[in-house]
Amino acid sequence: MRRGRLRLAVKLALALGTVWAAVGRPAGAAVTAEQLRRAMDGLVVDIRRAQRDDGSFRVTERDWLTGQTALAVLALRAAGVGPDDPAIRKAGTFLADRELKGFHAVYETALKVMALAQIDEQAYRPQIKAGALYLIRAQQGSGGWSYTDSGRTDNSNSQFAILGLHAAALAGVGIPEEVWEKARVYFVARQGADGGWGYTGPGDARGSMTVAGVASLYVCDLWLHVRRGKCGIYPDQRALQSGLQWLARNFSVTRNPGFREWKYY
């Protein structure tokens, strides 16, 4: 699959997920292209209002400024805002200079890599590569990731790390195959018998973490097998199918299936 087509698929998935929530129509109700466009335009206006003079975006009072800024950039790009837009460029300058430390280093590093790759993967290649190298170092022996380079791993941090490495790989940064293989093994081992994933391991499956498991396995198999010319050959096809079936059985847009919180996750 060519990089451009893969990027388009990712953008569409992000945009449709965000817009469906904004439109707020019941599941199964018809939504027109005009309604989607209006909803996206309104979200763009709201996000732009959250940008500060230094280029960062603050939409909550929590001190996750790098992550918030990166998410704002990704949302704007998914909504069709160009990489040369002044707000995007200003945010890129802010993100490039941010040194990531603290409790959410894996989350924020992954988001920073994804955002910079959406702005200018050539200009920000050093920062993208540095972020990818940190995520590689932070991978633990089990194949998963924690909030930093140590601690208990979970499927949420692990998903974000894989998405960050995926963005870096699309930007041309070489990711060792053993990183993808260890991550693949990690997610296969943590899938429940019902096909779903919980936060840390099998059992107590959630919609959010099952999506994380399916997406992470897909990305790992993509880099392990498709780039070797084996398109359509996935050793984890049964695990992916089982995860998708869990999502089909439990699908909802009004809640996070299996868990009372983190609906929009």
Side-chain angles (χ1 to χ4, degrees), residues 162-176:
I162 288 172
L163 291 175
L165 290 170
H166 178 56
L170 287 174
V173 176
I175 308 299

PDB file of all heavy atoms in Angstrom, residues 162-176:
ATOM      1  N   ILE A 162       2.734   2.454  19.111  1.00  0.00           N
ATOM      2  CA  ILE A 162       2.711   1.840  17.782  1.00  0.00           C
ATOM      3  C   ILE A 162       2.259   2.845  16.728  1.00  0.00           C
ATOM      4  O   ILE A 162       2.820   2.904  15.622  1.00  0.00           O
ATOM      5  CB  ILE A 162       1.805   0.590  17.802  1.00  0.00           C
ATOM      6  CG1 ILE A 162       2.495  -0.523  18.584  1.00  0.00           C
ATOM      7  CG2 ILE A 162       1.483   0.131  16.382  1.00  0.00           C
ATOM      8  CD1 ILE A 162       1.615  -1.732  18.829  1.00  0.00           C
ATOM      9  N   LEU A 163       1.272   3.661  17.046  1.00  0.00           N
ATOM     10  CA  LEU A 163       0.826   4.683  16.095  1.00  0.00           C
ATOM     11  C   LEU A 163       1.936   5.701  15.823  1.00  0.00           C
ATOM     12  O   LEU A 163       2.106   6.154  14.690  1.00  0.00           O
ATOM     13  CB  LEU A 163      -0.422   5.385  16.624  1.00  0.00           C
ATOM     14  CG  LEU A 163      -1.701   4.549  16.675  1.00  0.00           C
ATOM     15  CD1 LEU A 163      -2.825   5.343  17.337  1.00  0.00           C
ATOM     16  CD2 LEU A 163      -2.117   4.104  15.279  1.00  0.00           C
ATOM     17  N   GLY A 164       2.687   6.064  16.866  1.00  0.00           N
ATOM     18  CA  GLY A 164       3.804   6.984  16.674  1.00  0.00           C
ATOM     19  C   GLY A 164       4.888   6.380  15.799  1.00  0.00           C
ATOM     20  O   GLY A 164       5.426   7.031  14.890  1.00  0.00           O
ATOM     21  N   LEU A 165       5.233   5.115  16.058  1.00  0.00           N
ATOM     22  CA  LEU A 165       6.240   4.440  15.245  1.00  0.00           C
ATOM     23  C   LEU A 165       5.749   4.260  13.811  1.00  0.00           C
ATOM     24  O   LEU A 165       6.534   4.337  12.856  1.00  0.00           O
ATOM     25  CB  LEU A 165       6.572   3.081  15.871  1.00  0.00           C
ATOM     26  CG  LEU A 165       7.336   3.137  17.200  1.00  0.00           C
ATOM     27  CD1 LEU A 165       7.395   1.749  17.828  1.00  0.00           C
ATOM     28  CD2 LEU A 165       8.751   3.697  17.001  1.00  0.00           C
ATOM     29  N   HIS A 166       4.465   4.007  13.648  1.00  0.00           N
ATOM     30  CA  HIS A 166       3.872   3.877  12.315  1.00  0.00           C
ATOM     31  C   HIS A 166       4.033   5.179  11.531  1.00  0.00           C
ATOM     32  O   HIS A 166       4.429   5.167  10.356  1.00  0.00           O
ATOM     33  CB  HIS A 166       2.399   3.512  12.475  1.00  0.00           C
ATOM     34  CG  HIS A 166       1.646   3.387  11.193  1.00  0.00           C
ATOM     35  ND1 HIS A 166       2.021   2.539  10.178  1.00  0.00           N
ATOM     36  CD2 HIS A 166       0.516   4.002  10.764  1.00  0.00           C
ATOM     37  CE1 HIS A 166       1.153   2.627   9.177  1.00  0.00           C
ATOM     38  NE2 HIS A 166       0.234   3.511   9.510  1.00  0.00           N
ATOM     39  N   ALA A 167       3.741   6.309  12.184  1.00  0.00           N
ATOM     40  CA  ALA A 167       3.893   7.609  11.524  1.00  0.00           C
ATOM     41  C   ALA A 167       5.350   7.856  11.164  1.00  0.00           C
ATOM     42  O   ALA A 167       5.659   8.375  10.086  1.00  0.00           O
ATOM     43  CB  ALA A 167       3.369   8.716  12.437  1.00  0.00           C
ATOM     44  N   ALA A 168       6.258   7.500  12.065  1.00  0.00           N
ATOM     45  CA  ALA A 168       7.683   7.680  11.789  1.00  0.00           C
ATOM     46  C   ALA A 168       8.123   6.813  10.614  1.00  0.00           C
ATOM     47  O   ALA A 168       8.897   7.254   9.746  1.00  0.00           O
ATOM     48  CB  ALA A 168       8.507   7.352  13.030  1.00  0.00           C
ATOM     49  N   ALA A 169       7.631   5.582  10.576  1.00  0.00           N
ATOM     50  CA  ALA A 169       7.991   4.683   9.474  1.00  0.00           C
ATOM     51  C   ALA A 169       7.478   5.212   8.145  1.00  0.00           C
ATOM     52  O   ALA A 169       8.178   5.157   7.122  1.00  0.00           O
ATOM     53  CB  ALA A 169       7.434   3.282   9.744  1.00  0.00           C
ATOM     54  N   LEU A 170       6.264   5.752   8.133  1.00  0.00           N
ATOM     55  CA  LEU A 170       5.723   6.349   6.910  1.00  0.00           C
ATOM     56  C   LEU A 170       6.547   7.552   6.471  1.00  0.00           C
ATOM     57  O   LEU A 170       6.627   7.852   5.281  1.00  0.00           O
ATOM     58  CB  LEU A 170       4.270   6.777   7.128  1.00  0.00           C
ATOM     59  CG  LEU A 170       3.228   5.666   7.198  1.00  0.00           C
ATOM     60  CD1 LEU A 170       1.874   6.245   7.563  1.00  0.00           C
ATOM     61  CD2 LEU A 170       3.146   4.917   5.872  1.00  0.00           C
ATOM     62  N   ALA A 171       7.165   8.229   7.429  1.00  0.00           N
ATOM     63  CA  ALA A 171       8.008   9.386   7.119  1.00  0.00           C
ATOM     64  C   ALA A 171       9.413   8.981   6.692  1.00  0.00           C
ATOM     65  O   ALA A 171      10.243   9.841   6.413  1.00  0.00           O
ATOM     66  CB  ALA A 171       8.073  10.317   8.329  1.00  0.00           C
ATOM     67  N   GLY A 172       9.684   7.682   6.670  1.00  0.00           N
ATOM     68  CA  GLY A 172      10.971   7.210   6.192  1.00  0.00           C
ATOM     69  C   GLY A 172      11.965   6.810   7.255  1.00  0.00           C
ATOM     70  O   GLY A 172      13.115   6.480   6.945  1.00  0.00           O
ATOM     71  N   VAL A 173      11.565   6.837   8.515  1.00  0.00           N
ATOM     72  CA  VAL A 173      12.456   6.427   9.593  1.00  0.00           C
ATOM     73  C   VAL A 173      12.448   4.899   9.678  1.00  0.00           C
ATOM     74  O   VAL A 173      11.379   4.275   9.733  1.00  0.00           O
ATOM     75  CB  VAL A 173      12.023   7.030  10.939  1.00  0.00           C
ATOM     76  CG1 VAL A 173      12.905   6.525  12.074  1.00  0.00           C
ATOM     77  CG2 VAL A 173      12.062   8.551  10.870  1.00  0.00           C
ATOM     78  N   GLY A 174      13.615   4.295   9.709  1.00  0.00           N
ATOM     79  CA  GLY A 174      13.694   2.851   9.789  1.00  0.00           C
ATOM     80  C   GLY A 174      13.378   2.334  11.182  1.00  0.00           C
ATOM     81  O   GLY A 174      14.013   2.748  12.157  1.00  0.00           O
ATOM     82  N   ILE A 175      12.395   1.448  11.279  1.00  0.00           N
ATOM     83  CA  ILE A 175      12.018   0.836  12.557  1.00  0.00           C
ATOM     84  C   ILE A 175      12.416  -0.638  12.487  1.00  0.00           C
ATOM     85  O   ILE A 175      11.969  -1.354  11.590  1.00  0.00           O
ATOM     86  CB  ILE A 175      10.496   0.948  12.811  1.00  0.00           C
ATOM     87  CG1 ILE A 175      10.018   2.402  12.642  1.00  0.00           C
ATOM     88  CG2 ILE A 175      10.156   0.406  14.196  1.00  0.00           C
ATOM     89  CD1 ILE A 175      10.653   3.391  13.590  1.00  0.00           C
ATOM     90  N   PRO A 176      13.250  -1.122  13.408  1.00  0.00           N
ATOM     91  CA  PRO A 176      13.668  -2.526  13.371  1.00  0.00           C
ATOM     92  C   PRO A 176      12.483  -3.479  13.394  1.00  0.00           C
ATOM     93  O   PRO A 176      11.502  -3.252  14.113  1.00  0.00           O
ATOM     94  CB  PRO A 176      14.512  -2.673  14.645  1.00  0.00           C
ATOM     95  CG  PRO A 176      14.986  -1.296  14.948  1.00  0.00           C
ATOM     96  CD  PRO A 176      13.865  -0.383  14.531  1.00  0.00           C
TER      97      PRO A 176
END
